[in-house]
Amino acid sequence: MVVLTAICAALYAAILIPFKVVPLIPGITEFRPANAIPVVCSFLFGPAAAWGSALGNLIGDFFGGLGPGDLFGFLANLLYGLVPYAVWEAVTDAPPVPEGPLASLGLLLVMGVAAMLCATVVGWGLHLLGFHPFTVLGTVVLMNNLVVAVVLAPFLLAVLYPRVRRARLLYRDLLGPRRPLPRWRAALGATLVLVGTCTAFAAGELIAGGRWVAPWAAYETASRRLEVGLGLLPLLGLAIVGLALL
Amino acid sequence: MALTLYVAAPTPLHRLHPVTKLGLLAAFVVAAFMVDRPLLLVPLAAVIAVLMVLARALPNVRRLRVMFLLVFFFTLVVWTFFYQSVLVPTYGGFLYGLSTAIRLDTFLATGILFLSTTRVEEVAYALGRLGLPYTMGFTLTLAFRLVPVFFDAALSVVQAQRCRGLEFGRGGVVARLRRFVPVIVPVLIGALRRADRMAMALELRGFNSGRPRTTYLRARAGAADVLAGTLAVATVATYVVLWAAGIGTLAAHP
């Protein structure tokens, strides 16, 4: 798993770095065709891909300068690589390849949730630090993640999954089979991830745009750092609890 | 394309203990967070600029000069238009944007200074000394070493696919993105072959033996580290005092 983590991280970074010259939000994010790698690797290599995404993003930051925002980038990319396999495995035993409309729809939904959770954590963290407003950052990161993952990941999975399965390098081949989760736990976990992610993103947009104040974070700061920071915390907590259940 | 910012130079900053360098990085970041007033951030930026000169890191600043400008102007514009409003410019937003822009450029400069004076092995070593598990540091350094290998592999595949007539620059965004599939697939398959061999090599060398790890890197703290540590503590203390006194906030000094 150590080697697979390093491979995922290096692959992610190797495709991230050349595109550092195409910034969308300077110093924070850029056009990232590499954003398909965490999702694809997540379905193939599970936990190794989650840590690999986080480390790969960190290595990419080594190229453009380190900063406190990278802590949130690390966390966001960890979740971006964690959500796809964790949610998919909890919901179905089917291979994560786009065979048929239901499987394709399921894949798109899981990728969408992963992309949104990643965007929410980056937007939340960097607004909390006062770097950029969630309204701008959350939206840009979500679109960047979503477009690339939805366009590239299904094709890559269709080609790579059968080959990796034949090579017996899928994470279940390496880690061994897992005891099936109780149905209530899988359903509750997946629901919490979905609800927590969507509500956190919506709350971030509304609070940062001055259209809503969370009752548990009814402060009034000029940059809305505290309102966004505390307002999103319980909602992100829901998503994390959901992931812990999976 | 150079894949690292490290500048190999025999300067006192390069010779500092990796943990001290990490401490200095943290100190400058914390100090910059303490104040909002642009005028109070300028001295901190000046100290970092002097350290940059001492570390001979100016070529990296030149290399990333566009990034410095983009970060500054983008932050200034965004906060001017999104401060307590959406797409409505405000003077308060302009001041906050100015402060954040200087702060972000300060972070960028601090990060570049750190990366110009610290090799990735030293970063892993420092993280290990601070209690991070060995496997985490090892994975980071291994991944860092593999980046140029995969980068070269990707370039070779791009050339090969071009020879076969694949045009990467034609069509809309979606069509262009899809042309990355025949590049990513061979690179990933090649990476998996490498992973298999690498895992066997690690096992043969007793990676999972559970014995204490050894390293060729031996860093010792000296008088320079004490001096640097004092500078870090003094910087943080000064900015904490400014924050506690309310001098650093924009509201008190509009």
Side-chain angles (χ1 to χ4, degrees):
Chain A
M1 288 309 261
V2 167
V3 174
L4 277 180
T5 305
I7 295 271
C8 292
L11 258 179
Y12 190 28
I15 305 175
L16 270 183
I17 291 167
F19 288 91
K20 287 267 170 196
V21 292
V22 193
L24 292 176
I25 296 181
I28 305 291
T29 193
E30 55 284 319
F31 175 60
R32 294 162 71 123
N35 278 357
I37 298 290
V39 176
V40 172
C41 287
S42 174
F43 286 121
L44 301 176
F45 310 126
W51 287 108
S53 311
L55 288 174
N57 186 67
L58 186 68
I59 291 171
D61 293 333
F62 267 61
F63 178 74
L66 282 173
D70 297 331
L71 288 175
F72 292 100
F74 186 90
L75 180 63
N77 278 277
L78 182 73
L79 293 170
Y80 191 42
L82 187 68
V83 168
Y85 87 89
V87 173
W88 185 266
E89 196 181 57
V91 174
T92 175
D93 292 330
V97 283
E99 289 170 342
L102 202 63
S104 302
L105 195 69
L107 273 178
L108 292 183
L109 185 68
V110 169
M111 285 182 222
V113 173
M116 190 178 275
L117 187 56
C118 174
T120 309
V121 171
V122 173
W124 167 69
L126 271 67
H127 195 128
L128 180 66
L129 294 176
F131 290 0
H132 289 293
F134 187 100
T135 335
V136 176
L137 192 57
T139 315
V140 168
V141 174
L142 175 64
M143 291 315 292
N144 202 3
N145 284 351
L146 204 58
V147 169
V148 174
V150 166
V151 171
L152 286 181
F155 291 99
L156 291 171
L157 278 171
V159 177
L160 289 170
Y161 190 85
R163 286 171 169 80
V164 176
R165 187 168 53 187
R166 270 203 302 277
R168 299 189 58 78
L169 279 172
L170 292 176
Y171 68 100
R172 279 286 153 237
D173 294 324
L174 299 172
L175 296 176
R178 193 177 80 157
R179 213 174 56 186
L181 284 175
R183 286 180 71 175
W184 68 267
R185 192 170 152 178
L188 181 64
T191 309
L192 283 179
V193 172
L194 180 68
V195 171
T197 301
C198 294
T199 52
F201 185 81
E205 291 282 355
L206 292 172
I207 298 171
R211 283 167 286 171
W212 185 61
V213 176
W216 58 87
Y219 302 97
E220 205 173 319
T221 58
S223 60
R224 297 203 179 92
R225 284 161 67 163
L226 211 53
E227 293 93 311
V228 170
L230 293 177
L232 266 64
L233 207 53
L235 303 170
L236 284 172
L238 273 185
I240 303 295
V241 169
L243 276 172
L245 283 173
L246 300 175
Chain B
M1 187 179 198
L3 289 174
T4 170
L5 295 177
Y6 183 72
V7 178
T11 74
L13 277 164
H14 283 75
R15 283 193 290 270
L16 287 176
H17 193 283
V19 175
T20 310
K21 293 183 207 174
L22 215 52
L24 267 175
L25 173 74
F28 287 137
V29 166
V30 171
F33 263 119
M34 289 290 133
V35 294
D36 285 333
R37 285 182 71 198
L39 268 179
L40 293 176
L41 285 165
V42 171
L44 190 64
V47 171
I48 295 165
V50 170
L51 292 177
M52 286 260 197
V53 175
L54 288 177
R56 299 183 202 168
L58 289 182
N60 279 333
V61 177
R62 267 196 294 277
R63 189 169 141 194
L64 294 170
R65 62 188 183 278
V66 177
M67 179 88 94
F68 276 97
L69 290 173
L70 282 175
V71 166
F72 187 88
F73 288 111
F74 184 86
T75 309
L76 190 63
V77 170
V78 162
W79 277 114
T80 303
F81 283 88
F82 284 86
Y83 188 76
Q84 294 184 312
S85 60
V86 176
L87 286 172
V88 180
T90 57
Y91 180 64
F94 174 78
L95 278 184
Y96 186 78
L98 186 64
S99 142
T100 309
I102 297 175
R103 184 181 293 134
L104 282 180
D105 269 353
T106 308
F107 290 151
L108 188 59
T110 313
I112 291 171
L113 176 66
F114 177 74
L115 296 174
S116 301
T117 55
T118 317
R119 285 177 293 135
V120 69
E121 291 81 5
E122 290 177 306
V123 177
Y125 177 82
L127 293 174
R129 292 301 297 264
L130 293 172
L132 196 83
Y134 170 78
T135 37
M136 196 82 166
F138 175 80
T139 311
L140 180 70
T141 44
L142 180 61
F144 206 90
R145 293 284 160 228
L146 285 173
V147 171
V149 176
F150 292 154
F151 193 65
D152 288 344
L155 284 180
S156 304
V157 174
V158 165
Q159 296 302 334
Q161 300 292 27
R162 277 204 176 120
C163 289
R164 292 188 180 96
L166 189 68
E167 291 178 46
F168 290 92
R170 219 179 60 183
V173 176
V174 173
R176 283 181 195 206
L177 271 177
R178 279 190 185 163
R179 290 198 189 100
F180 278 95
V181 175
V183 175
I184 295 174
V185 170
V187 173
L188 216 149
I189 296 286
L192 289 179
R193 285 194 192 122
R194 182 178 287 274
D196 216 22
R197 288 197 299 266
M198 210 183 286
M200 279 192 275
L202 281 176
E203 287 299 325
L204 284 170
R205 286 171 173 81
F207 185 75
N208 282 324
S209 67
R211 290 186 173 186
R213 298 285 156 194
T214 55
T215 170
Y216 286 113
L217 193 66
R218 289 270 184 272
R220 280 206 186 129
D225 292 279
V226 177
L227 191 67
T230 311
L231 172 71
V233 172
T235 307
V236 172
T238 307
Y239 278 84
V240 167
V241 168
L242 288 172
W243 168 76
I247 298 167
T249 55
L250 274 177
H253 298 270

